[in-house]
Amino acid sequence: MRADAQRNAEKLRAAAVELFQERGLKVPLKEIARRAGVSHGTLYNLFGTREALIDEVVGDLAADRLGEAAERALSFEQTGEGFAYYIEKVCELQATDPAVADVVSGRYPAAERLMAICDRTKDAATRIIERAQRAGAIRPDFTGEDLLLFFGTNALLARAVADTAPDAWRRQVAFLLEGLSADTAHGPLPAAPLTTQQMYDVMGRLTGTP
């Protein structure tokens, strides 16, 4: 890559990180190019697609933040406390970082690195859930798909009330945690949990992603 192209690529990466974290991964690419001070065509020449740009600039950041939350949750001796910490931390990240919120939602299936992060997030969530279930801390019929669907709806809530009630998500998390106590489980639930594919399909519809 020529020196001028390298400079343009670095400017685009920096602008993309800023705008993705400010407004989420759906921000128009023209605005990224404008903030970087380059043409729209230059962005496409260097990165090709939105998904390629997302993988280039968001993957490591999101992986680090989500991975740290899971690692910390798994370090709790009291598994119920670790489970509660994980839900609260991921929901906080969604409320404060729109890019992370979109990553958790799995809304860009063509972004390979992003989807790998989604898979790792689901695996970590399942480990945290099963660990708490083995200890009898939460009801036994809650699944990783249930949690990721909750994260998807939390992301929509956090974005909708960001300017008017930025802490509204905390109330919903409190209701969820109280309702998941093993003491509240009274018989089977009225419907089966979603499969992983169903969960991602629903998330795509909620976020307007094909």
Side-chain angles (χ1 to χ4, degrees):
M1 188 181 293
R2 301 192 314 271
D4 59 339
Q6 289 179 340
R7 287 193 296 271
N8 286 337
E10 286 305 314
K11 288 190 290 186
L12 283 164
R13 290 188 188 99
V17 168
E18 290 177 358
L19 282 168
F20 285 153
Q21 289 187 296
E22 290 171 13
R23 296 168 52 188
L25 302 182
K26 208 172 182 179
V27 64
L29 295 183
K30 288 183 178 180
E31 293 191 28
I32 294 173
R34 188 179 304 117
R35 180 169 293 193
V38 304
S39 70
H40 194 201
T42 296
L43 187 154
Y44 278 106
N45 287 337
L46 290 172
F47 293 99
T49 64
R50 175 185 299 276
E51 288 78 8
L53 181 60
I54 288 171
D55 274 348
E56 181 80 20
V57 304
V58 174
D60 290 341
L61 176 66
D64 288 347
R65 292 184 176 181
L66 292 168
E68 182 180 350
E71 184 177 349
R72 177 77 178 93
L74 290 167
S75 73
F76 278 74
E77 290 188 13
Q78 298 295 323
T79 60
E81 292 180 8
F83 173 76
Y85 168 84
Y86 183 68
I87 291 180
E88 290 169 352
K89 186 61 180 178
V90 173
C91 287
E92 180 182 24
L93 287 172
Q94 290 179 306
T96 57
D97 190 334
V100 173
D102 285 344
V103 168
V104 175
S105 297
R107 60 188 301 176
Y108 291 100
E112 294 181 2
R113 289 186 66 198
L114 184 148
M115 293 309 296
I117 294 168
C118 290
D119 290 340
R120 291 200 298 272
T121 299
K122 179 181 178 297
D123 290 343
T126 298
R127 288 176 60 200
I128 292 165
I129 290 168
E130 291 177 347
R131 185 169 175 260
Q133 288 170 332
R134 286 194 298 270
I138 64 172
R139 56 185 301 151
D141 48 4
F142 188 68
T143 69
E145 286 76 17
D146 289 325
L147 181 54
L148 291 186
L149 189 59
F150 176 78
F151 285 153
T153 56
N154 177 72
L156 295 176
L157 170 66
R159 186 165 296 178
V161 301
D163 296 329
T164 56
D167 288 331
W169 64 270
R170 296 184 185 277
R171 181 179 176 89
Q172 304 309 309
V173 168
F175 281 134
L176 176 73
L177 292 176
E178 185 169 332
L180 285 175
S181 170
D183 295 335
T184 67
H186 301 297
L189 293 171
L194 298 180
T195 65
T196 299
Q197 186 58 55
Q198 286 173 325
M199 184 269 299
Y200 280 127
D201 288 345
V202 170
M203 298 275 267
R205 292 172 187 172
L206 286 173
T207 57
T209 304

